[in-house]
Amino acid sequence: MAPVTTEEAHFAEVPVSVAVVSVFGLVFSVSIFAWICCQRKANKASNKTPPYKFVHMLKGVDIYPESLNGKKKFGGEKTPEAHGKQTLSPSGGRPELHLDLEKRDLNGNFTSKPPTLQLKVRSSPDLDIPSQQAGFGSGGNQEAGTPESVVSSQTPTPAVEKSQDKEGGLGTLYFSVEYNFEKKAFMVHIKEAHRLSPTDEQSLTSDPYIKLTLLPEKKHKVKTRVLRKTLDPAFDETFSFYGIPFARVSQLALHFMVLSFDRFSRDEVIGETLVPLADIDLSEGRVLMSRDIIKRNVRRSAGRGELLLSLCYQSTTSTLTVVVLKARHLPKTDSNGPSDPYVKVNLFQGKKRVCKKKTHVKKCAPNPVFNELFVFDLPSEDGLRDTSVELLLLDSDRTSRTPVIGRLLLGTSSPGTAGEHWREICDHPRRQIAKWHALSED
């Protein structure tokens, strides 16, 4: 029984020794950790930045107040020694900055008014800057020119602008002509146009382009690209006409037609000019020319104005779409003032009126813009064969003696542009086709 007791005592001593070693290891680890923390804290305390340290950027110079020694100041007021001379910084050729930090408030602003700085402005040789001595001479009686006088001298007066418009008419076209003897080609260079007449009354601009025709044969016709929203287009395009002998050039004439592009209808003519080549000598080279654009002589059909319509026939659904876009050149009323127009649309099947619609009234509008759409259902069997559309442009003023301004009838038997428009929508279903139509009297 004795050996058993000895083994039990030996096993009881092992856990005690393990616990003692663990305690010493834990104490050693904690002490090492505490020592490391103290060292880090001490290092941070030694490298602590002063509370007044800041960096102020003034004209690209960094200022560090903590680098100042003793009573050295960057004074806002110059010392008597520095008065009259300029000291340079040792780092470069830049003058020192004198700022009095003690005379600043908490926001960094000067408590007293800082001295004014006199800056010297060096004018570039490309700029024409008037001299200040001309207006502030000591002995002269010259007066300095104010900005208002300078502006007024440069801007033209309204009278000058009106005279320029009268001289130019509807605008001026600049171009040149030349004959290439090697290629036997007659060349026309369309450069630009100035002060064109606006066709859009809302934006007071145009979308101009030019059509050029060689007269009298009218075989050669060309046109420039469209320039958007401008009254001074710069085309800079050259057109060459080959196979024209030099002896025959003097018999030709150039017909320039200036137009404004319109997406929904025919392009509107701004003006035209005719240039005979009989008195122009092209043997010495290119000849630069300019011509005034004059108004085209177009007769109004009945003097009742014009109406822009867009029609579309849907054969699958048997519907007719009528879009009343706008009107122009409407006559004046009995009171010699602008009318208050609106459009009444009547759909006829044979001689029977089956539907009627009307647009809104446009007050005091000689060139009204409606942009209203109407859809009419048609009999599926007959289609557009016996169908006709009547449009009446009326004046809403009840005191007017003649409320009907103009009338337009669209149908198969309609003459002129109206019948042509109707046949086009019959031949091309599902296509929106717009045209201007001259209105007639009752």
Side-chain angles (χ1 to χ4, degrees):
M1 300 296 293
V4 175
T5 305
T6 304
E7 292 177 359
E8 291 178 358
H10 176 70
F11 284 112
E13 292 177 357
V14 174
V16 175
S17 60
V18 172
V20 172
V21 173
S22 301
V23 170
F24 277 105
L26 181 61
V27 172
F28 180 78
S29 301
V30 171
S31 60
I32 292 296
F33 179 75
W35 180 80
I36 293 174
C37 292
C38 292
Q39 291 294 329
R40 291 183 177 179
K41 188 174 182 182
N43 292 334
K44 289 183 178 180
S46 61
N47 296 329
K48 187 175 181 181
T49 56
Y52 57 84
K53 180 179 180 180
F54 68 97
V55 178
H56 181 71
M57 298 298 296
L58 178 64
K59 296 183 180 179
V61 180
D62 299 339
I63 304 171
Y64 297 91
E66 70 273 10
S67 64
L68 303 180
N69 297 325
K71 296 182 179 180
K72 185 178 180 181
K73 299 179 181 179
F74 283 63
E77 299 177 358
K78 292 184 178 180
T79 59
E81 295 80 13
H83 202 72
K85 65 179 180 178
Q86 190 176 15
T87 59
L88 300 177
S89 62
S91 59
R94 184 180 296 177
E96 292 183 357
L97 298 175
H98 297 275
L99 299 176
D100 193 352
L101 301 177
E102 294 180 358
K103 293 186 178 182
R104 287 174 172 251
D105 56 8
L106 296 178
N107 295 328
N109 301 322
F110 286 105
T111 56
S112 61
K113 185 177 179 181
T116 58
L117 299 177
Q118 295 182 357
L119 302 178
K120 294 183 179 180
V121 180
R122 184 178 64 181
S123 62
S124 173
D126 298 335
L127 300 178
D128 188 10
I129 299 178
S131 174
Q132 297 180 357
Q133 298 177 358
F136 298 95
S138 58
N141 295 329
Q142 298 176 354
E143 296 181 357
T146 59
E148 291 80 8
S149 63
V150 175
V151 173
S152 62
S153 63
Q154 294 179 358
T155 55
T157 58
V160 175
E161 291 180 354
K162 290 182 179 179
S163 63
Q164 292 177 355
D165 292 341
K166 290 182 179 179
E167 292 176 0
L170 298 176
T172 306
L173 179 64
Y174 297 88
F175 61 97
S176 64
V177 292
E178 182 183 3
Y179 190 82
N180 192 332
F181 290 93
E182 296 180 359
K183 299 181 180 180
K184 295 183 179 180
F186 175 65
M187 304 172 65
V188 180
H189 178 76
I190 301 177
K191 186 179 180 182
E192 58 189 356
H194 289 169
R195 300 185 302 274
L196 295 181
S197 177
T199 56
D200 191 347
E201 297 181 354
Q202 296 180 355
S203 61
L204 296 178
T205 58
S206 299
D207 299 332
Y209 70 97
I210 296 178
K211 281 185 177 181
L212 171 61
T213 307
L214 292 186
L215 300 179
E217 296 180 356
K218 297 184 180 181
K219 292 182 179 180
H220 303 280
K221 296 181 180 180
V222 293
K223 64 180 180 179
T224 65
R225 67 187 187 279
V226 179
L227 298 182
R228 302 287 183 178
K229 297 187 182 300
T230 178
L231 299 179
D232 299 300
F235 299 102
D236 197 15
E237 297 186 34
T238 302
F239 301 98
S240 300
F241 303 93
Y242 296 92
I244 299 178
F246 178 74
R248 194 171 174 275
V249 173
S250 59
Q251 303 174 5
L252 301 178
L254 302 178
H255 179 248
F256 296 94
M257 184 181 296
V258 186
L259 302 100
S260 179
F261 175 77
D262 195 337
R263 180 185 299 178
F264 303 104
S265 66
R266 291 182 303 176
D267 299 338
E268 188 170 352
V269 178
I270 298 177
E272 63 182 359
T273 182
L274 184 64
V275 183
L277 300 177
D279 299 332
I280 299 176
D281 186 11
L282 298 178
S283 59
E284 297 181 358
R286 177 178 296 183
V287 179
L288 302 177
M289 307 177 67
S290 64
R291 289 290 186 273
D292 292 336
I293 301 172
I294 61 176
K295 189 175 182 180
R296 190 185 184 192
N297 187 14
V298 180
R299 296 181 179 178
R300 306 296 175 191
S301 59
R304 311 306 298 174
E306 294 177 297
L307 187 64
L308 178 59
L309 296 177
S310 177
L311 303 178
C312 180
Y313 171 58
Q314 295 285 347
S315 58
T316 55
T317 58
S318 297
T319 57
L320 176 65
T321 303
V322 180
V323 183
V324 182
L325 295 172
K326 55 185 177 180
R328 64 185 181 186
H329 308 307
L330 300 185
K332 295 182 179 180
T333 58
D334 297 337
S335 58
N336 229 1
S339 57
D340 301 333
Y342 70 97
V343 179
K344 188 175 181 181
V345 185
N346 297 321
L347 180 68
F348 286 88
Q349 191 68 32
K351 295 183 179 180
K352 181 181 179 182
R353 187 177 68 178
V354 295
C355 187
K356 63 177 181 178
K357 296 181 181 181
K358 66 178 181 178
T359 65
H360 293 85
V361 178
K362 302 296 178 179
K363 294 290 185 180
C364 299
N367 300 299
V369 178
F370 299 102
N371 286 334
E372 297 191 33
L373 181 144
F374 306 103
V375 180
F376 299 95
D377 293 328
L378 304 175
S380 57
E381 298 179 357
D382 298 334
L384 296 177
R385 186 177 57 186
D386 296 331
T387 305
S388 60
V389 177
E390 181 190 35
L391 294 104
L392 298 175
L393 186 63
L394 304 123
D395 187 4
S396 63
D397 189 4
R398 297 180 179 178
T399 60
S400 177
R401 298 178 182 177
T402 55
V404 179
I405 300 175
R407 178 177 179 269
L408 174 65
L409 183 62
L410 297 169
T412 307
S413 59
S414 299
T417 309
E420 180 183 351
H421 196 181
W422 193 262
R423 287 187 292 272
E424 286 185 10
I425 65 171
C426 294
D427 298 336
H428 303 89
R430 299 191 301 275
R431 180 184 297 181
Q432 200 84 20
I433 302 175
K435 283 183 180 295
W436 282 100
H437 298 276
L439 299 177
S440 61
E441 298 179 357
D442 275 344

